[in-house]
Amino acid sequence: MPKTTSKRDSRVTVIKALAHPTRLQLAEALRGDGVCCVGELHARVGGDLSTVSKHLSLMRDAGWIKSEKRGLHIHYSLACDCLGEFLRCVDQLAATSNKENCC
Amino acid sequence: MPKTTSKRDSRVTVIKALAHPTRLQLAEALRGDGVCCVGELHARVGGDLSTVSKHLSLMRDAGWIKSEKRGLHIHYSLACDCLGEFLRCVDQLAATSNKENCC
DNA sequence: GAACTATTTGGCACTTTTACCAAGTAATTC
DNA sequence: GAATTACTTGGTAAAAGTGCCAAATAGTTC
């Protein structure tokens, strides 16, 4: 059993899971393509294959994506439909970050 | 001049700015109270005052909050109206994190 | 069942983030 | 203008996150 986790910590876990350029890119790729296996995602983002695998399992644990075994491959896909909504807000802020006043 | 920042990196900066329990708590507090000065926020989240100050300026740089000087105090408030939308998505995932299958 | 393909796990060096202390700035009051 | 209040900045030790290598697992084909 894990030590009791506050609602805030659960939220932070979810947010952290997208707070990395590679993981964000993985989410974007899955949003565009629907379903990908690790090799395909690796081809997109580069780096070490094991690193990509670790990023994916972190995102899965956080709830962003789900995986399904199909023969030798593992098919990853987005688990939720709210990524667009999430990014819409992020982009609204990203457009103004570091630029004088906000929004 | 900062080195050129990709759209993805800008997004990551925004996301990272809420990917910490204290910063998330600060955002929640401002969402509830509207406007707070550093001392009030410090009373809410505890820890060292300078730490709170640093969290706030990081959030301001990312675009989440804005600040306004009023005499001795500095009034912080949310800069954008999309925090609710953002958290709605996060909560949808947080409810399922680490629990077998998703959504 | 040996060789092969796809993916995960363990380990470790490296970098980034964080928290606290001490010192600094800025506006206010006396 | 000295003392006070409110906040920020600099420095640093400790903690967390990341990337790559090597080795392990799991399913497939021959």
Side-chain angles (χ1 to χ4, degrees):
Chain A
M1 280 281 122
K3 42 179 97 163
T4 49
T5 303
S6 73
K7 174 170 187 183
R8 188 140 56 227
D9 287 340
S10 306
R11 281 174 161 176
V12 167
T13 298
V14 171
I15 298 170
K16 271 190 180 172
L18 283 199
H20 186 284
T22 301
R23 291 197 293 267
L24 190 56
Q25 192 178 0
L26 289 167
E28 287 165 2
L30 288 173
R31 190 170 175 227
D33 292 3
V35 179
C36 297
C37 68
V38 181
E40 291 169 331
L41 291 166
H42 175 229
R44 287 252 204 156
V45 308
D48 194 86
L49 180 61
S50 72
T51 301
V52 175
S53 173
K54 280 176 182 172
H55 280 310
L56 288 169
S57 63
L58 189 154
M59 292 169 75
R60 175 158 37 78
D61 290 346
W64 282 106
I65 60 180
K66 61 191 173 193
S67 61
E68 194 182 353
K69 200 151 200 174
R70 279 294 166 87
L72 268 177
H73 295 78
I74 296 185
H75 289 169
Y76 278 96
S77 56
L78 285 181
C80 282
D81 56 358
C82 61
L83 179 61
E85 180 182 25
F86 180 95
L87 290 179
R88 205 189 64 79
C89 174
V90 171
D91 284 343
Q92 193 177 319
L93 291 170
T96 60
S97 293
N98 286 321
K99 300 186 184 65
E100 333 280 281
N101 296 325
C102 291
C103 297
Chain B
M1 279 283 117
K3 44 180 91 162
T4 49
T5 303
S6 73
K7 174 171 186 181
R8 193 170 304 123
D9 288 340
S10 306
R11 281 173 160 176
V12 167
T13 299
V14 171
I15 298 169
K16 270 189 179 172
L18 283 200
H20 186 284
T22 301
R23 291 197 292 270
L24 189 56
Q25 192 178 2
L26 289 168
E28 288 165 1
L30 288 172
R31 190 171 176 227
D33 292 3
V35 179
C36 296
C37 67
V38 181
E40 291 169 332
L41 292 166
H42 174 230
R44 286 252 205 158
V45 307
D48 195 87
L49 180 63
S50 73
T51 301
V52 174
S53 174
K54 278 174 183 169
H55 280 311
L56 288 169
S57 64
L58 189 153
M59 292 169 76
R60 174 157 38 78
D61 290 347
W64 283 106
I65 59 179
K66 61 191 173 191
S67 61
E68 195 184 351
K69 198 153 202 173
R70 279 294 165 87
L72 269 178
H73 295 81
I74 297 185
H75 288 171
Y76 278 96
S77 57
L78 285 181
C80 282
D81 55 358
C82 62
L83 179 60
E85 179 182 26
F86 180 94
L87 290 179
R88 204 188 67 78
C89 173
V90 171
D91 284 342
Q92 194 177 318
L93 292 171
T96 61
S97 293
N98 286 321
K99 302 188 185 62
E100 332 282 279
N101 295 326
C102 291
C103 298

